[in-house]
Amino acid sequence: MAEIKILWVDDEVDLLKPHILFLEKKGYTVDTRVSGTEALEAIEATSYDIVFLDENMPGLTGLETLHEIKEKQSQLPVVMITKSEEEYIMEEAIGSKIADYLIKPVNPNQILLAVKKNLDVSRLVNEKTTSDYQREFRKIAMDMSMVNSYEEWVQLYQKLIYWELELEDVDDAGMFEILTAQKNEANQQFCKFIDRNYPDWFTEGEDHPTLSHELFRKKVVPHLKQDQPVLMVVVDNLRYDQYRVFENLINNHYKKSEEEAYCSILPTATQYARNAIFSGLMPEDMKKRHPNLWLDDTDEGGKNMHEDEFLQAQLKRLGLNIKHQYHKITNEASGRKLVENFKTQKDNDLTVVVYNFVDMLSHAKTEMEVIKELASTDKSYRSLTLSWFKNSPLLEIIQRGQELGFKLILTTDHGTINVTNPSKVIGDKNTSLNLRYKTGRSLSYEDKDVLAATDPSTIKLPKINMSSSFIFAKGDLFFAYPNNFNHYVSYYRNTYQHGGVSLEEMLIPFAVFDPR
């Protein structure tokens, strides 16, 4: 360990000899000064790692010395020590960004703890986090071999997210590689689970998780029957780990009352999953009941242009005669406009805001290249998410909702996954273009790489023609055509895609918050 230098400033420094000897035995170097003036001179001459500063000294007071130190070296940790418990002194010191605050008399262990908290905390946290995950690793591996229900998969996925967030700042690349390998193994097992169970979830009476087309009826409608307006925010393309990193910002304005991981339908793509939320129908039934609103993959035109009409039809079908408004935010300007006019929503029973998160991040048509540049890893993608959310109109919309007493429901339509490995697929010119799922006739593919639905009606998907089938990419795979294969792979590898089968795409957040 590199030598750590401590400066202790106290006009009664002779009384501190036992404390200083204690620190020196622990390997620290301690310099002492008896006044604020001497302290400032010492800081000019020597590089210290931490300062202990008495508040009550003749000449320059501790607070005055603190201000001077912060002007000269703003990052230098200063621990204020005082006999006084007067609130204004504490507030002044805290406002000046002290590292810690101790009340006399202090014992040597308090001093040692203050040093470790401020100088050793990163190493200690790293070591503790790494050792905790090493212990948990075996348990996760054991759980993975035994998991056999949707609820158990949610618990396992939440545990993996927890450790991913805990380990992301740990300076141990090997440990993070182990976690990544464990996530990949989890996805392989999850794909097998979905392959075995997903078709059964559409059998009447079969026990199954809440799916996209059931979300509104099962989870939103009960809140509409209470005497409180509801703000429902659907953030496009939001993974559970991304939701976790900005959840605390929401907690400044709202208190969470309910949370669950619901399951996106396949394909985990906006056209299917989000339309299912607002229509309350699976895609096969949307096409039958609303042929004027549904477009197949190969049809021309926007595939999510009729969400408000789908929602109105669902409200009518459910017998809900409520006042509602629907807003789709596709750019910064439309988000700002809603913020400025949000008071006009105050008489609604339901205000729905669909926020095109990926478009916000990546400036619409350039989304692939921008995200590839800014977010090449899940860690950087989360960081970008947090930065975006902090400065987005969406956070201001949520604040306005809290001010007007709205209950907040926050959810998404599907998640996304960083794709790394190509899987060759061949189809005719009418095959859909998505990189994580394909629908069309005479598809040729690697069986081990896909979940296949040769009869789409078994999972409530429409057929473009009589012989159409669907295939969904597993884990972190993406589909590539043999023609111009290498160029295609280099362009799309390490980009964020959705439409297939993975924990990241299918297990997604639904949370309810009450205004503070």
Side-chain angles (χ1 to χ4, degrees):
M1 183 175 71
E3 181 188 31
I4 290 178
K5 292 185 176 178
I6 300 169
L7 176 64
W8 199 325
V9 188
D10 193 312
D11 62 319
E12 297 177 324
V13 77
D14 290 342
L15 301 177
L16 301 173
K17 281 186 179 176
H19 298 67
I20 292 166
L21 287 171
F22 177 80
L23 289 172
E24 288 175 343
K25 283 180 182 178
K26 294 289 182 182
Y28 301 107
T29 299
V30 184
D31 288 347
T32 60
R33 297 293 186 272
V34 296
S35 72
T37 303
E38 287 185 14
L40 295 173
E41 290 171 356
I43 286 167
E44 289 281 357
T46 306
S47 177
Y48 291 102
D49 296 288
I50 190 168
V51 177
F52 289 99
L53 180 62
D54 183 32
E55 190 278 321
N56 187 20
M57 295 186 296
L60 278 180
T61 67
L63 286 174
E64 289 167 342
T65 307
L66 173 63
H67 292 312
E68 294 280 346
I69 291 173
K70 286 299 178 181
E71 280 187 15
K72 294 177 185 297
Q73 296 187 35
S74 61
Q75 301 305 311
L76 179 61
V78 178
V79 177
M80 182 71 79
I81 302 175
T82 179
K83 292 177 182 174
S84 173
E85 295 187 45
E86 288 191 44
E87 191 174 348
Y88 85 91
I89 295 177
M90 292 184 185
E91 289 179 352
E92 181 74 18
I94 291 166
S96 299
K97 298 182 180 177
I98 56 164
D100 211 339
Y101 193 99
L102 301 177
I103 306 292
K104 286 185 177 181
V106 292
N107 64 53
N109 281 319
Q110 282 179 288
I111 298 297
L112 181 62
L113 180 60
V115 173
K116 286 189 173 294
K117 275 167 57 180
N118 287 285
L119 301 183
D120 247 2
V121 67
S122 180
R123 177 183 63 80
L124 293 172
V125 168
N126 283 359
E127 289 177 359
K128 177 77 165 58
T129 303
T130 300
S131 64
D132 285 351
Y133 174 64
Q134 286 172 333
R135 283 195 297 272
E136 189 74 6
F137 172 81
R138 294 175 183 82
K139 186 175 186 308
I140 292 173
M142 185 75 70
D143 290 345
M144 203 185 301
S145 67
M146 300 171 64
V147 64
N148 197 35
S149 70
Y150 178 80
E151 291 74 20
E152 288 170 338
W153 272 114
V154 169
Q155 289 172 13
L156 185 74
Y157 181 46
Q158 297 279 28
K159 197 173 288 186
L160 288 168
I161 289 173
Y162 170 81
W163 284 111
E164 188 170 17
L165 296 177
E166 287 290 297
L167 289 169
E168 74 175 9
D169 293 321
V170 170
D171 188 20
D172 187 338
M175 194 56 58
F176 208 81
E177 284 174 14
I178 292 170
L179 177 63
T180 300
Q182 198 162 48
K183 277 178 65 185
N184 291 338
E185 170 66 16
N187 259 327
Q188 290 176 27
Q189 298 302 322
F190 180 70
C191 290
K192 292 176 184 177
F193 171 78
I194 293 296
D195 205 0
R196 288 194 307 269
N197 294 282
Y198 187 74
D200 293 338
W201 293 348
F202 301 100
T203 303
E204 195 168 333
E206 184 71 23
D207 186 34
H208 64 270
T210 302
L211 297 166
S212 305
H213 67 298
E214 302 169 314
L215 186 72
F216 190 83
R217 174 174 56 86
K218 286 185 173 181
K219 299 297 177 181
V220 179
V221 167
H223 296 287
L224 298 177
K225 294 179 177 177
Q226 300 170 11
D227 190 23
Q228 184 180 13
V230 171
L231 170 61
M232 180 183 180
V233 176
V234 180
V235 184
D236 174 51
N237 222 31
L238 185 71
R239 288 153 45 128
Y240 224 115
D241 59 328
Q242 293 171 308
Y243 160 69
R244 279 279 177 259
V245 298
F246 67 63
E247 184 182 1
N248 280 340
L249 292 173
I250 297 172
N251 289 337
N252 291 331
H253 311 283
Y254 278 91
K255 184 177 181 181
K256 185 168 65 179
S257 60
E258 179 185 335
E259 180 186 315
E260 72 169 77
Y262 88 95
C263 189
S264 171
I265 62 165
L266 294 172
T268 49
T270 309
Q271 170 191 356
Y272 292 87
R274 201 160 77 204
N275 278 331
I277 292 172
F278 289 115
S279 68
L281 303 168
M282 282 297 290
E284 182 182 51
D285 296 320
M286 280 185 254
K287 185 172 181 178
K288 288 177 184 175
R289 290 198 188 201
H290 303 287
N292 58 320
L293 302 180
W294 175 262
L295 292 176
D296 285 318
D297 277 82
T298 52
D299 292 334
E300 293 291 326
K303 307 298 193 290
N304 285 84
M305 304 297 290
H306 304 291
E307 290 164 0
D308 193 14
E309 292 98 314
F310 275 133
L311 177 58
Q312 289 179 48
Q314 181 175 192
L315 289 170
K316 185 175 181 181
R317 197 168 65 248
L318 294 172
L320 288 170
N321 183 24
I322 62 171
K323 184 177 180 182
H324 86 282
Q325 278 186 273
Y326 167 93
H327 306 271
K328 183 183 286 186
I329 307 301
T330 57
N331 53 55
E332 180 88 1
S334 59
R336 293 285 166 209
K337 186 175 180 181
L338 181 57
V339 171
E340 292 165 9
N341 298 314
F342 197 82
K343 283 186 178 177
T344 61
Q345 309 298 306
K346 62 181 172 47
D347 296 325
N348 292 343
D349 300 297
L350 172 65
T351 297
V352 175
V353 177
V354 171
Y355 217 98
N356 277 7
F357 164 62
V358 170
D359 285 346
M360 297 292 101
L361 276 182
S362 46
H363 306 106
K365 300 300 182 185
T366 60
E367 70 179 47
M368 185 82 66
E369 283 304 307
V370 173
I371 290 182
K372 198 170 181 179
E373 289 278 333
L374 297 178
S376 58
T377 66
D378 287 351
K379 177 182 175 180
S380 55
Y381 199 18
R382 283 191 294 272
S383 177
L384 186 61
T385 304
L386 180 59
S387 178
W388 163 78
F389 186 73
K390 276 182 179 176
N391 300 287
S392 71
L394 178 55
L395 181 55
E396 293 183 56
I397 289 167
I398 288 170
Q399 289 171 326
R400 297 290 185 273
Q402 181 260 332
E403 291 163 6
L404 292 175
F406 277 78
K407 177 171 287 194
L408 172 65
I409 293 176
L410 181 72
T411 190
T412 184
D413 45 7
H414 55 77
T416 185
I417 189 167
N418 194 353
V419 295
T420 57
N421 296 300
S423 178
K424 287 185 179 178
V425 65
I426 300 172
D428 63 23
K429 65 180 181 180
N430 291 321
T431 301
S432 60
L433 300 176
N434 189 286
L435 297 180
R436 291 279 292 162
Y437 77 91
K438 297 289 182 188
T439 181
R441 293 180 298 185
S442 306
L443 295 172
S444 175
Y445 49 85
E446 297 282 345
D447 287 341
K448 64 180 176 56
D449 292 346
V450 310
L451 187 155
T454 52
D455 180 4
S457 64
T458 61
I459 55 172
K460 303 293 184 182
L461 296 179
K463 294 181 179 181
I464 296 175
N465 53 60
M466 289 299 292
S467 57
S468 284
S469 61
F470 276 81
I471 58 171
F472 308 99
K474 295 178 177 178
D476 63 356
L477 298 170
F478 65 100
F479 293 129
Y481 294 112
N483 297 341
N484 210 9
F485 182 79
N486 290 333
H487 170 75
Y488 196 81
V489 169
S490 65
Y491 187 76
Y492 286 108
R493 175 177 273 140
N494 206 33
T495 63
Y496 285 87
Q497 304 294 336
H498 52 84
V501 184
S502 69
L503 292 160
E504 289 89 337
E505 291 162 289
M506 294 188 76
L507 304 193
I508 48 179
F510 173 88
V512 180
F513 300 81
D514 293 315
R516 288 191 182 276

